[in-house]
Amino acid sequence: EKLRASAGKYAGRVVLCGIGGLGKTQLAAEFCHLHRDDYPGGIYWFDAAPDGNEIDSQLIAIADHALWIHPESKHAEKLAVARQVLRARAGCLLVFDNVDELAVIRPLLQDLLSGTHILLTSRREQPGFAAVHIPLLSAEESLTLLRLEAGRTPKTPVEVEAAGGIGK
C-alpha cells in the first residue's frame, strides 16, 4: 500500500530500499504483476545495475520489440524514438532495478508526463523519491513465509531444524 500511496512532493516516485537479498526486486515484480491494469500505458523494466545492460541498450531493445521504429533504423534513431515515446506515454510505470546512482537513469527522468510513475529498487534512499524501507524478517516471520511458499509445515525434527536454519 505504501507504493500506491506515495503522494505529496514524491507523487508517483518511490524507492524500495534495503540491504541486498531482502527481496526488493521480487517485491517490485509482484507490485507490477498485481497492478498491471493500473498502468494502461505499460510497465517498462530496466536493469540499472552497474554490471547490467546499459540503459540505452535496453531502450533500443524496447523500441525494437514494440516496433516503435523500423528494425533497420540506426541505433541513435531507435534510442531517440524510445526516449520520446516513454516521455510522452501517459499512465505508465517505469521500474529501475538496482539503482546505485541516479545519474544512470537521470536522462529518462526528464520531461516525463506528470502521470508517469517511477519505482526504483536500491540499497539506499534516493533524493526525490519516497523511501519504502524493506526490513529483515524476524526468524518467526521467515519461518511463516517459508511455510507459505512451500505449501507445507515441517513435520520431522530434521525438517524443523532445516527450516529454522533457512530462516536465519
Side-chain angles (χ1 to χ4, degrees):
E1 283 305 310
K2 288 182 182 179
L3 293 177
R4 294 195 53 142
S6 64
K9 68 178 184 177
Y10 299 118
R13 290 177 167 237
V14 176
V15 57
L16 299 176
C17 50
I19 64 171
L22 288 178
K24 299 178 296 289
T25 298
Q26 184 60 40
L27 182 59
E30 186 69 15
F31 177 84
C32 291
H33 175 72
L34 291 174
H35 298 285
R36 64 187 175 274
D37 294 339
D38 296 341
Y39 297 101
I43 296 173
Y44 302 91
W45 189 286
F46 298 91
D47 180 3
D51 57 347
N53 285 337
E54 183 181 316
I55 297 291
D56 288 353
S57 298
Q58 294 173 65
L59 283 166
I60 290 168
I62 288 171
D64 282 340
H65 182 75
L67 302 175
W68 289 339
I69 189 169
H70 192 278
E72 294 179 20
S73 300
K74 294 179 181 177
H75 284 319
E77 293 168 348
K78 290 179 182 180
L79 184 57
V81 166
R83 285 184 174 158
Q84 182 56 40
V85 168
L86 289 180
R87 284 185 179 125
R89 198 100 172 158
C92 71
L93 172 64
L94 304 180
V95 181
F96 297 96
D97 192 27
N98 297 308
V99 174
D100 280 340
E101 299 294 331
L102 280 180
V104 173
I105 64 170
R106 190 164 284 126
L108 280 178
L109 301 181
Q110 298 169 355
D111 304 322
L112 293 172
L113 291 177
S114 63
T116 301
H117 289 185
I118 302 167
L119 175 59
L120 311 180
T121 69
S122 181
R123 291 184 181 210
R124 61 178 180 253
E125 293 184 22
Q126 297 293 339
F129 288 81
V132 177
H133 293 273
I134 309 300
L136 287 173
L137 295 177
S138 69
E140 183 179 321
E141 291 168 326
S142 295
L143 190 54
T144 299
L145 180 61
L146 180 62
R147 282 189 213 130
L148 287 172
E149 289 298 317
R152 62 192 279 282
T153 300
K155 295 184 180 9
T156 68
V158 172
E159 287 179 342
V160 170
E161 183 178 341
I166 292 171
K168 290 184 180 177

